[in-house]
Amino acid sequence: MADTRVYPLDPSRSRPGPRGHGLCLRAWDAGSDADAEAWLRGHLDPDFQRWNTPLKLWTDLAGARESLRGRARDAAEGRSASFRITDEASGTTLGHIGVGEISTRMKVARIGYWVLPEARGRGVATRALLLASRWAYAELGLHRLELGHALGHDASCRVAERAGYRAEGTLRGAMFEAGRHDAFRDVHLHARLATDEEPTPPAAR
C-alpha cells in the first residue's frame, strides 16, 4: 500500500519522501558521495545515453554534483522535483524519477525516469512512476502528467502503459538524437489525467 500523505516540494533531506509499492522516493543529496556516484553512473550508462541526450553531459563527480545542486535549486523554486528511487527496506539506490516543467497555472507537468542496470526487470520504473504520479496529483494539484520517450524505446513504452499513461501520438522531431544537439528524432507521447483510474502496481521482485 502506498503512503497517501502529501509531501511538500522541498529538497530538504530531513523530510521523508513518498513511499509505497516497496519503494521510497528521496531527495538527491549533492553532498553525498554515494548519491553523486549513482547519479553519474546512471547518466553514463550506455542504455541511458542511447535514449536520452541531456543539454550538458558531464563525465565526473564534480559535474554530477553540479547537476544535483541545479536540481535542488529547481525544486526550491517550484520548477521541478527530483527523487532518488530507493528500495524501501534497504535504502539501496535503484534509479531516478523527476517531475519537470511544472505549470501550476495549467496544472500540467512532464515526468521522466531511469533505472540503474542492476535494478532493471523488477518493475521498479512502473512502481516509481505510480508513486510519483500520485504525489504530483496530490501535492501539486496537477490535472495532467505527460511522458515522452524516443520512438523505438519499447521498454519505456511498456512502463508508461502499465502505469496508466495512455499513448496519445507521435511528436515529430521533439527530442535530440543520441549524443547530438544538431539532429532530432521523434517522440512517443503518453499522458495520464488525475481523473484516470490508477492501475494496480506490479509485484516487487
Side-chain angles (χ1 to χ4, degrees):
M1 178 68 66
D3 185 345
T4 57
R5 289 177 293 172
V6 172
Y7 297 91
L9 191 66
D10 188 336
S12 170
R13 294 180 296 279
S14 64
R15 188 181 299 278
R19 64 182 65 232
H21 312 321
L23 304 174
C24 181
L25 305 185
R26 307 174 185 272
W28 288 92
D29 178 3
S32 162
D33 288 344
D35 281 19
E37 288 167 2
W39 186 254
L40 178 62
R41 190 158 62 88
H43 283 76
L44 294 183
D45 175 65
D47 196 60
F48 173 89
Q49 294 192 3
R50 178 185 178 189
W51 299 113
N52 302 274
T53 307
L55 289 174
K56 182 178 181 181
L57 182 61
W58 18 263
T59 57
D60 56 25
L61 286 176
R65 288 193 175 92
E66 178 186 351
S67 176
L68 288 175
R69 285 192 291 267
R71 293 272 179 161
R73 287 192 297 270
D74 286 345
E77 294 171 6
R79 291 191 296 268
S80 69
S82 296
F83 295 108
R84 181 167 59 96
I85 306 169
T86 69
D87 181 271
E88 187 173 19
S90 68
T92 301
T93 298
L94 305 175
H96 161 79
I97 191 160
V99 182
E101 300 180 33
I102 297 169
S103 172
T104 54
R105 177 172 295 181
M106 297 301 296
K107 299 185 182 298
V108 65
R110 302 273 290 189
I111 196 162
Y113 47 82
W114 50 261
V115 175
L116 291 169
E118 65 272 19
R120 292 171 189 159
R122 296 163 44 191
V124 170
T126 303
R127 290 182 281 133
L129 183 53
L130 288 167
L131 193 57
S133 300
R134 175 180 289 189
W135 175 87
Y137 295 133
E139 169 57 27
L140 305 180
L142 300 180
H143 173 64
R144 175 180 169 89
L145 286 170
E146 296 181 349
L147 187 162
H149 61 79
L151 206 62
H153 194 349
D154 295 337
S156 195
C157 203
R158 289 191 295 271
V159 167
E161 290 172 346
R162 285 196 293 262
Y165 281 72
R166 301 179 188 176
E168 294 191 343
T170 301
L171 304 177
R172 296 179 300 143
M175 178 183 288
F176 288 128
E177 286 281 5
R180 299 178 62 179
H181 291 148
D182 61 348
F184 299 85
R185 54 183 161 176
D186 294 348
V187 168
H188 198 191
L189 176 65
H190 297 257
R192 190 176 133 195
L193 305 181
T195 52
D196 290 340
E197 183 177 356
E198 181 174 312
T200 300
R205 297 194 293 276

